[in-house]
Amino acid sequence: MKNSLKIAICGATGLVGRTMLKCLDDYSVPIDKIVLYGSSKSAGSEIHFRGEANIVKELTIDNIDPDLDYALFSAGGGPSKIFAPEFAKRGVIAIDNSSAWRMNPECPLVVPEVNPDALKKHANIIANPNCSTIQMTLPLKALEDKFGLERVLVSTYQSVSGAGQKGVDKLNHEMNGVKDEALSKMPIFENTLFHSFNDDSGYTEEEVKMINETRKILSLPELRISATCVRLPIIGGHAESVNVRLKRDFDIAEIKETLAKFPNIIIMDDDKNEGYPTVKHSEGRDEVFVGRIRRDESAPNSLHLWVVSDNLRKGAAANAVQILVKMEEMK
Ligand SMILES: NC(=O)c1ccc[n+]([C@@H]2O[C@H](COP(=O)([O-])OP(=O)(O)OC[C@H]3O[C@@H](n4cnc5c(N)ncnc54)[C@H](OP(=O)(O)O)[C@@H]3O)[C@@H](O)[C@H]2O)c1
């Protein structure tokens, strides 16, 4: 990347915001100005980046710095709805991690390995997909291009960090015998929970996101896809069992070859020697790990995949930084 950039992080004190700072460094993004925003709660606190202390500012209209190239948002849907358009109208490109803008037809919803061309047309707000959605779209895109997707069924095994700091705190409190009713009145420790149910459809909010966002990213509005999303007592990393029915028959070697060729997919398929992906393999990594690749004999042209990724990196912060890098490369 040639140009030195001016970047803001809105939600810099959160799990994703802190990981964004790490990713900007890991991707060697040239930066000559960094502005860090949080809520009134963390305003005035200090965050170190590249050896310098930065004071967190409260995110308010009056505090918006218009002299920026990008504002990376990880402050939740409410602040994104209010502030992303304010940055956008000042000429700053907002890359937003919340669900506020994902299904807006004016906003590209982007996984750089999958649909980078969507970045060619935008109105200064780019949406980063949901963490569970991002990791699944890499193998699905590879399979769609070569075989065509007929139907997708996914079940997730998601960590508590996907719900932010309060999710991590809940698990830690409960492991120490302290009651914590964040996310649910029920415990997550030694338990399984679903995400929130916002309507009478029978689907959780997370399941609806996975369905709608996958269709948008793959430009397959009619894709037959369904999801069951489950939260587990794991700190970091999301795993998914993905069952795919393809438009034509295949042999498994061809599937493995197709997936292995796709950027940032790592195949781990030595099952007998415990060489399958776990969330521990994905920790701190930006690739998507795929294993348990096998034919599903119960239906024609069908297969099972096990898809694992670091939800805070590829599922959020790294994907946002990769979008920024891609936009600079496309200039
Ligand atoms: N965790 C994941 O795996 C993941 C994946 C994909 C997308 N996301 C999305 O990313 C966003 C952040 O998630 P997270 O996991 O980082 O949550 P988190 O750890 O709870 O952090 C939330 C951040 O938002 C800030 N914030 C809250 N209200 C604000 C306001 N009114 N104005 C300015 N800043 C405000 C907080 O600042 P204070 O410290 O001052 O309160 C904090 O920095 C959410 O929209 C989430 O859905 C998360």
Side-chain angles (χ1 to χ4, degrees):
M1 212 185 300
K2 286 187 219 115
N3 299 324
S4 216
L5 300 172
K6 300 181 175 76
I7 297 176
I9 299 193
C10 303
T13 51
L15 282 185
V16 175
R18 281 180 273 144
T19 311
M20 278 172 170
L21 285 168
K22 174 133 188 28
C23 290
L24 287 170
D25 215 25
D26 293 347
Y27 284 75
S28 302
V29 175
I31 297 175
D32 47 42
K33 175 168 157 186
I34 189 113
V35 184
L36 306 180
Y37 292 105
S39 73
S40 55
K41 208 175 81 190
S42 61
S45 62
E46 250 183 29
I47 294 183
H48 284 257
F49 178 66
R50 293 187 179 163
E52 284 189 22
N54 296 271
I55 306 290
V56 176
K57 293 183 183 173
E58 185 181 352
L59 183 58
T60 61
I61 301 284
D62 287 346
N63 277 346
I64 290 178
D65 183 341
D67 181 30
L68 292 165
D69 300 297
Y70 294 93
L72 304 183
F73 271 79
S74 62
S80 289
K81 270 191 198 132
I82 298 167
F83 294 103
E86 295 293 334
F87 279 92
K89 76 184 184 204
R90 289 164 175 79
V92 181
I93 296 174
I95 302 177
D96 180 39
N97 262 284
S98 80
S99 56
W101 299 97
R102 290 180 188 149
M103 297 313 295
N104 184 315
E106 311 261 293
C107 299
L109 180 66
V110 177
V111 181
E113 297 90 337
V114 175
N115 61 337
D117 287 349
L119 291 169
K120 286 180 182 160
K121 192 167 172 276
H122 62 82
N124 282 356
I125 301 179
I126 315 291
N128 207 43
N130 169 266
C131 42
S132 322
T133 308
I134 291 177
Q135 66 187 69
M136 181 175 71
T137 59
L138 276 75
L140 290 185
K141 173 67 176 165
L143 296 173
E144 161 66 11
D145 286 353
K146 176 101 188 210
F147 304 93
L149 297 173
E150 182 70 37
R151 184 187 187 207
V152 177
L153 294 174
V154 55
S155 297
T156 69
Y157 305 68
Q158 296 179 230
S159 64
V160 292
S161 61
Q165 191 60 50
K166 61 182 178 304
V168 176
D169 290 346
K170 178 179 173 74
L171 178 55
N172 282 328
H173 287 153
E174 290 171 356
M175 282 166 68
N176 289 306
V178 177
K179 197 172 164 73
D180 185 330
E181 294 195 345
L183 308 181
S184 167
K185 286 193 174 121
M186 290 186 279
I188 183 65
F189 180 51
E190 296 183 327
N191 206 4
T192 54
L193 293 178
F194 292 115
H195 300 67
S196 48
F197 290 85
N198 280 0
D199 58 32
D200 295 328
S201 67
Y203 283 80
T204 63
E205 201 183 1
E206 185 84 353
E207 290 158 359
V208 172
K209 285 179 194 170
M210 285 196 82
I211 293 167
N212 293 341
E213 293 179 23
T214 302
R215 288 177 174 153
K216 179 170 175 178
I217 295 162
L218 296 176
S219 299
L220 296 172
E222 307 294 328
L223 179 66
R224 293 164 69 200
I225 172 170
S226 193
T228 301
C229 296
V230 185
R231 185 86 69 198
L232 296 183
I234 302 165
I235 293 285
H238 289 354
E240 296 173 349
S241 168
V242 187
N243 183 278
V244 189
R245 183 163 172 173
L246 298 172
K247 290 215 160 108
R248 68 169 177 85
D249 202 8
F250 55 84
D251 64 53
I252 285 292
E254 209 184 354
I255 296 286
K256 289 185 186 174
E257 190 192 13
T258 303
L259 294 175
K261 272 196 209 149
F262 198 81
N264 292 335
I265 288 182
I266 294 182
I267 304 286
M268 287 184 68
D269 217 23
D270 186 10
D271 296 337
K272 284 189 200 143
N273 296 306
E274 296 191 335
Y276 50 79
T278 69
V279 291
K280 283 280 176 211
H281 292 104
S282 70
E283 198 176 319
R285 302 283 296 264
D286 296 343
E287 300 93 342
V288 171
F289 294 77
V290 184
R292 304 295 321 279
I293 303 165
R294 63 205 191 279
R295 185 177 283 280
D296 172 5
E297 300 287 1
S298 72
N301 306 341
S302 297
L303 76 150
H304 293 290
L305 306 174
W306 179 246
V307 180
V308 180
S309 183
D310 183 327
N311 54 294
L312 287 176
R313 287 200 60 115
K314 185 58 183 164
N319 198 70
V321 171
Q322 290 166 344
I323 289 173
L324 179 155
V325 171
K326 182 60 79 181
M327 292 185 86
E328 286 299 298
E329 285 170 2
M330 287 165 78
K331 272 184 178 169

